[in-house]
Amino acid sequence: MAGRCALLLTALLVSTSVSAAPILKRNSYTFVLNNPYGDAIFELGNVSYLANTKHPKVVLSTENFKPTASSSIPITVIKTNVSIISKELLESTISSYLDGDDVFNFDFLAGLYITSTTTASMDASAIEYLAEFNTNFLFSDGSVSGEGSFTKLTVSSTAGLPSGPFLATLSLSTVSIASVYRLYPDTYRTFLFGAYDSNDGQERHNPLGVFLPKMWDPMIPVPSRIYYWEDGRPLAGERVAVKDLYDVKGLQTSGGSQAWAYITPTSNGTAPSVQRIIDLGGVIVGKQKLAQFASGANPWEWQDEHYPFNPRGDGWLTCSASSSGAGCSIAAYDWLDYAIGSDTGSSMRRPAAVSGTYGQRPSQGMISLERVIPLGAATDTGGVFSRDPYKWIKFSKNWYIPPLHQDVSITGLSPLVIPDSDAFPKTILYPIDYLPLNNSAAEPILQEFIANLTRVFGMTVKKVNFTATVQNWTDPVARNFTTLNAATGVINSWTAWTVIGRPLLTTWAKLFDGRFPPIDPARRLGWKNFNESLVNQTRYDAALITKNRGVKWYETHFQYSTPESCSESVMLYDIGSGGLPSFREQSLNDSPGASYLAVLPPTAKITGANICPIFGCADFTIPIGQVPYQSNVTFHEEMVPVTINMVVKRGCDFVLYNMIEKLADEGVLKTVKTGRTAF
Ligand SMILES: *[C@@H]1O[C@H](CO)[C@@H](O)[C@H](O)[C@H]1NC(C)=O
Ligand SMILES: *[C@@H]1O[C@H](CO)[C@@H](O)[C@H](O)[C@H]1NC(C)=O
Ligand SMILES: *[C@@H]1O[C@H](CO)[C@@H](O)[C@H](O)[C@H]1NC(C)=O
Ligand SMILES: *[C@@H]1O[C@H](CO)[C@@H](O)[C@H](O)[C@H]1NC(C)=O
Ligand SMILES: *[C@@H]1O[C@H](CO)[C@@H](O)[C@H](O)[C@H]1NC(C)=O
Ligand SMILES: *[C@@H]1O[C@H](CO)[C@@H](O)[C@H](O)[C@H]1NC(C)=O
Ligand SMILES: *[C@@H]1O[C@H](CO)[C@@H](O)[C@H](O)[C@H]1NC(C)=O
Ligand SMILES: *[C@@H]1O[C@H](CO)[C@@H](O)[C@H](O)[C@H]1NC(C)=O
Ligand SMILES: *[C@@H]1O[C@H](CO)[C@@H](O)[C@H](O)[C@H]1NC(C)=O
Ligand SMILES: *[C@@H]1O[C@H](CO)[C@@H](O)[C@H](O)[C@H]1NC(C)=O
Ligand SMILES: *[C@@H]1O[C@H](CO)[C@@H](O)[C@H](O)[C@H]1NC(C)=O
């Protein structure tokens, strides 16, 4: 079977004690290997990098230069306006690079490319400063002069070269300047593989195909943030990981299945939703693990992929499903800004709950899922995980734009109208059939959050019985949970069967003498026994009509608009485990101090997670605190995140973002940390 490229990358461990001599500030360039795409993997000290040498950022012409064995030079590009370049200027520029970027370090001072908008010269202090780093090469487009003990090369000038660290490769008459990426080990194993923009002019991404043998981790390439400092686009330089359901040109889309990857070609196009992120300046850094074909499989049911790890608590908590890699990676890595997932039944909201991060199920139809492996089509949605409420809102408002809204033929619902206003809800609905939180130590955190909401917005709390309210509607279809659940069941199986299941089974049987493909148990029997006389397009179409009826009743009788509010109420509930730990290891969840996920509350007819997939509403997971538990894994006290879900009427997403932004301004909602604890 087509395996992932697993090239060896030696992890150098440099541990010799360093003397005080300033000249040792810099580690030298060590070439490791070229990856299959012709790009260079190298090391500086104990840090690994990738350089886009196959398709460099720019190729500059230069005066004749006789290349030596060491013709690859880590360089730093500095741009200035001044005429006298002093030590102070260099030092403050370099210090801003170190502060604002995790890719740049002193090791890139083997060479300096310096340019000024005016005729400039380096003074003695600057020359002396560079000597501390043993800077060997000075590149200049002629604007800057300076007398030092370095090799000086005059190169053609270029506007296309941003500031920051690069790898320069010298040849007889050219200097190729390649973008560099720092390689981070994915220590929580949330990715399938790292990826980077090939810069080939065809908008293709390359898989990195490098992993760290010592710890089995795939390496993830992230470009210097400095490259984007002069780029005004909303997501310029933000690093974004993508659930492996979305197509990215040049990368394989597997849906978490090697069998599916085997029978499908590498993507020859990028999903419009991912393209939008790239157009906004976002950087795609890799493909992430998911429950196979976006099922809701428990951790212990994963076979094809190894289940990712959650950094929270004892490190043995569930990442939930299906956007498992995405949620846990955002809780794990400061070097990652966003992760894109999808939500059909809970797959954004529950991974956000167990990782203590921000994640949403937007209103039904908010974003195109063209070139994304479907599950339920009319119940599928796309979302983004983030640690920071402001960054999360900025991404969301720039991503969910009208041209990317889904056609009504896909949703079966009315066209979306998304006001971006402060028409906030007046009522907090507290559903007594879903709350209080299961862990009595967590409920006071929720009560404090509710008190904060009422204080900031002057809202009133109304206790409702959601189940009784819906069952009290007069429409026999809209009030019947059995009917609504059955319709959702049809929606959630038919599209995945026609687009994935049927072609996979047919193709595999042809290739392997009638055999069934090796897939996880979540889909095996459902597809083995799929009966098109029971579930088919006719029933799917009927299910869309049922769904539409439920949505209309919900929006007229439960969460509706008034002249003052987009959604008169915001409903709170918990999609997580109510402040109890839930584990990746099944038997640990049988303890009284732990919980399974997706537990149906005793008096409810549907899980809270199912409310918005049925009624089309917007449902956001918001981290509000944490509570301790005694771990049976580390045998130490640990913290588990407490989150709450905020639900508003379909179309009121942006009003809810504005509300969340106000809560962040008021210090109610906060940026969560990476690692063991969110707060
Ligand atoms: C790498 O080296 C730097 C000093 O050069 C040290 O601070 C850091 O801890 C090292 N990291 C690893 C992972 O060995
Ligand atoms: C050059 O000057 C302009 C205008 O004062 C300023 O906006 C810009 O940031 C400066 N560029 C550098 C590299 O210092
Ligand atoms: C992309 O691939 C699809 C199916 O794999 C194929 O139908 C289509 O023609 C390809 N498009 C291009 C531009 O190669
Ligand atoms: C309530 O708001 C205050 C700030 O006004 C904040 O310090 C506290 O953490 C908030 N608590 C919750 C649970 O929202
Ligand atoms: C909510 O209402 C339903 C239907 O009337 C009832 O069976 C259930 O017990 C109620 N739940 C609570 C918590 O009161
Ligand atoms: C059911 O509907 C009736 C009539 O509209 C109303 O009086 C009653 O309060 C409702 N009950 C619930 C639980 O919503
Ligand atoms: C819901 O619909 C099902 C199937 O149509 C029907 O059998 C059941 O009696 C209905 N339930 C209620 C409470 O009306
Ligand atoms: C499919 O469902 C139909 C209708 O219930 C039934 O008659 C038929 O036997 C089923 N087919 C299989 C293969 O189970
Ligand atoms: C589709 O399913 C319904 C029952 O669910 C069945 O009555 C109908 O015959 C099926 N249509 C086809 C084309 O199999
Ligand atoms: C740890 O194990 C003890 C003994 O089986 C049990 O009572 C407790 O609930 C467990 N704690 C957790 C957090 O699962
Ligand atoms: C609450 O936790 C207990 C275990 O302590 C579990 O049996 C029960 O199903 C949980 N209830 C919900 C609604 O999650």
Side-chain angles (χ1 to χ4, degrees):
M1 226 186 260
R4 287 185 292 281
C5 251
L7 299 177
L8 298 190
L9 178 65
T10 46
L12 283 192
L13 291 172
V14 183
S15 60
T16 39
S17 61
V18 170
S19 85
I23 208 124
L24 291 180
K25 266 185 180 171
R26 192 164 64 69
N27 292 298
S28 60
Y29 172 85
T30 308
F31 174 77
V32 178
L33 48 76
N34 280 317
N35 79 356
Y37 303 92
D39 292 320
I41 312 292
F42 65 98
E43 287 172 341
L44 296 169
N46 58 10
V47 183
S48 304
Y49 297 89
L50 163 78
N52 235 182
T53 47
K54 176 83 176 180
H55 298 289
K57 184 79 181 163
V58 294
V59 178
L60 306 175
S61 57
T62 180
E63 67 212 52
N64 281 358
F65 171 75
K66 200 164 175 294
T68 61
S70 60
S71 61
S72 292
I73 307 152
I75 66 161
T76 300
V77 173
I78 292 180
K79 296 169 159 187
T80 173
N81 285 338
V82 301
S83 55
I84 305 287
I85 293 160
S86 63
K87 169 180 176 173
E88 200 186 353
L89 177 99
L90 292 179
E91 204 168 30
S92 74
T93 306
I94 285 165
S95 131
S96 73
Y97 285 10
L98 288 171
D99 288 349
D101 186 33
D102 52 347
V103 177
F104 174 82
N105 65 34
F106 290 149
D107 299 344
F108 284 95
L109 288 167
L112 179 67
Y113 180 116
I114 188 155
T115 171
S116 180
T117 49
T118 176
T119 306
S121 65
M122 280 204 265
D123 72 9
S125 72
I127 306 284
E128 203 175 297
Y129 178 66
L130 290 175
E132 284 181 32
F133 297 98
N134 193 20
T135 299
N136 302 124
F137 289 88
L138 183 69
F139 300 88
S140 167
D141 55 8
S143 63
V144 178
S145 59
E147 297 304 322
S149 62
F150 21 67
T151 305
K152 282 202 288 178
L153 283 172
T154 304
V155 293
S156 52
S157 70
T158 172
L161 188 61
S163 303
F166 290 89
L167 186 70
T169 305
L170 304 182
S171 68
L172 203 51
S173 56
T174 61
V175 182
S176 299
I177 299 187
S179 302
V180 295
Y181 296 74
R182 179 172 177 170
L183 306 187
Y184 277 108
D186 171 25
T187 51
Y188 293 91
R189 284 176 271 157
T190 58
F191 283 80
L192 287 166
F193 55 88
Y196 60 98
D197 183 349
S198 69
N199 198 36
D200 66 353
Q202 310 286 314
E203 311 205 310
R204 226 176 258 124
H205 278 68
N206 290 334
L208 178 64
V210 173
F211 98 120
L212 180 69
K214 181 178 164 70
M215 298 296 285
W216 329 332
D217 305 330
M219 299 298 273
I220 310 302
V222 302
S224 170
R225 293 191 186 277
I226 304 167
Y227 299 161
Y228 299 89
W229 284 357
E230 285 169 31
D231 184 335
R233 290 175 296 166
L235 300 181
E238 300 284 3
R239 299 152 180 180
V240 185
V242 176
K243 182 178 186 176
D244 196 18
L245 272 188
Y246 291 76
D247 277 359
V248 176
K249 186 176 178 180
L251 304 180
Q252 178 66 46
T253 302
S254 73
S257 162
Q258 289 208 353
W260 182 253
Y262 187 80
I263 68 156
T264 53
T266 298
S267 305
N268 61 5
T270 296
S273 51
V274 176
Q275 189 57 49
R276 171 73 185 159
I277 296 166
I278 296 169
D279 293 345
L280 288 166
V283 177
I284 305 305
V285 301
K287 287 289 201 81
Q288 291 188 314
K289 291 178 183 173
L290 66 155
Q292 201 173 72
F293 304 121
S295 73
N298 285 305
W300 48 90
E301 294 161 340
W302 289 40
Q303 297 297 329
D304 222 349
E305 304 154 288
H306 192 240
Y307 194 72
F309 286 85
N310 189 337
R312 303 302 190 203
D314 51 26
W316 223 247
L317 297 174
T318 179
C319 292
S320 185
S322 66
S323 310
S324 320
C328 278
S329 69
I330 288 299
Y333 306 130
D334 283 313
W335 48 261
L336 185 63
D337 298 298
Y338 298 102
I340 297 303
S342 65
D343 188 312
T344 300
S346 67
S347 293
M348 279 292 310
R349 295 163 291 157
R350 207 172 267 136
V354 298
S355 62
T357 55
Y358 294 84
Q360 77 279 64
R361 176 189 176 86
S363 290
Q364 195 69 59
M366 277 291 265
I367 189 127
S368 159
L369 295 173
E370 195 187 324
R371 279 191 171 273
V372 182
I373 292 181
L375 172 49
T379 42
D380 293 343
T381 63
V384 59
F385 295 93
S386 174
R387 291 179 295 275
D388 177 322
Y390 296 106
K391 283 181 66 171
W392 186 57
I393 293 165
K394 181 180 186 184
F395 188 110
S396 303
K397 284 192 171 180
N398 281 289
W399 195 36
Y400 295 126
I401 51 167
L404 287 181
H405 288 174
Q406 287 179 310
D407 194 82
V408 294
S409 64
I410 296 173
T411 61
L413 303 176
S414 57
L416 276 171
V417 179
I418 311 289
D420 187 356
S421 75
D422 286 353
F424 295 139
K426 306 286 181 209
T427 307
I428 298 165
L429 295 180
Y430 183 99
I432 57 168
D433 38 351
Y434 292 91
L435 291 171
L437 298 176
N438 207 358
N439 182 348
S440 58
E443 180 66 14
I445 298 175
L446 174 57
Q447 288 304 328
E448 189 184 314
F449 176 67
I450 291 172
N452 279 342
L453 274 182
T454 55
R455 175 173 55 77
V456 174
F457 300 104
M459 302 171 84
T460 44
V461 182
K462 187 172 157 198
K463 290 197 169 176
V464 292
N465 181 330
F466 176 81
T467 310
T469 307
V470 170
Q471 287 178 337
N472 198 33
W473 295 343
T474 52
D475 185 276
V477 169
R479 71 166 182 222
N480 187 323
F481 283 113
T482 311
T483 307
L484 296 170
N485 261 336
T488 308
V490 169
I491 294 173
N492 287 355
S493 54
W494 175 243
T495 310
W497 167 249
T498 54
V499 179
I500 315 294
R502 192 167 54 195
L504 175 59
L505 269 51
T506 311
T507 308
W508 204 266
K510 263 192 217 135
L511 287 170
F512 299 105
D513 197 20
R515 288 183 168 81
F516 192 87
I519 59 171
D520 285 359
R523 289 285 171 268
R524 191 182 300 132
L525 291 184
W527 284 351
K528 171 77 180 70
N529 300 325
F530 203 94
N531 187 338
E532 293 191 18
S533 334
L534 295 173
V535 177
N536 52 46
Q537 191 63 42
T538 312
R539 281 205 65 201
Y540 184 88
D541 295 342
L544 282 195
I545 292 169
T546 300
K547 179 176 161 123
N548 183 303
R549 203 150 148 183
V551 170
K552 279 191 172 147
W553 269 80
Y554 188 92
E555 294 180 357
T556 315
H557 299 277
F558 191 62
Q559 289 197 294
Y560 42 83
S561 298
T562 67
E564 292 79 38
S565 302
C566 181
S567 176
E568 191 279 327
S569 64
V570 58
M571 180 167 71
L572 306 181
Y573 81 99
D574 168 49
I575 203 168
S577 52
L580 293 173
S582 185
F583 296 96
R584 60 185 293 126
E585 191 179 316
Q586 182 171 15
S587 60
L588 290 171
N589 297 317
D590 295 325
S591 293
S595 174
Y596 283 88
L597 291 174
V599 180
L600 182 67
T603 72
K605 295 288 181 206
I606 55 172
T607 61
N610 265 331
I611 295 172
C612 287
I614 292 176
F615 296 110
C617 34
D619 181 351
F620 299 177
T621 300
I622 305 295
I624 57 170
Q626 58 191 3
V627 284
Y629 68 99
Q630 186 63 28
S631 168
N632 289 327
V633 178
T634 56
F635 302 103
H636 194 281
E637 186 181 276
E638 305 289 0
M639 290 289 183
V640 62
V642 176
T643 59
I644 193 68
N645 284 75
M646 301 178 77
V647 176
V648 291
K649 184 195 152 196
R650 179 170 183 258
C652 301
D653 305 56
F654 282 25
V655 173
L656 187 50
Y657 290 129
N658 293 341
M659 206 172 161
I660 288 164
E661 186 169 24
K662 176 101 170 109
L663 289 171
D665 291 345
E666 295 280 335
V668 174
L669 295 179
K670 301 173 188 81
T671 299
V672 295
K673 296 190 299 182
T674 54
R676 222 182 259 290
T677 61
F679 294 96

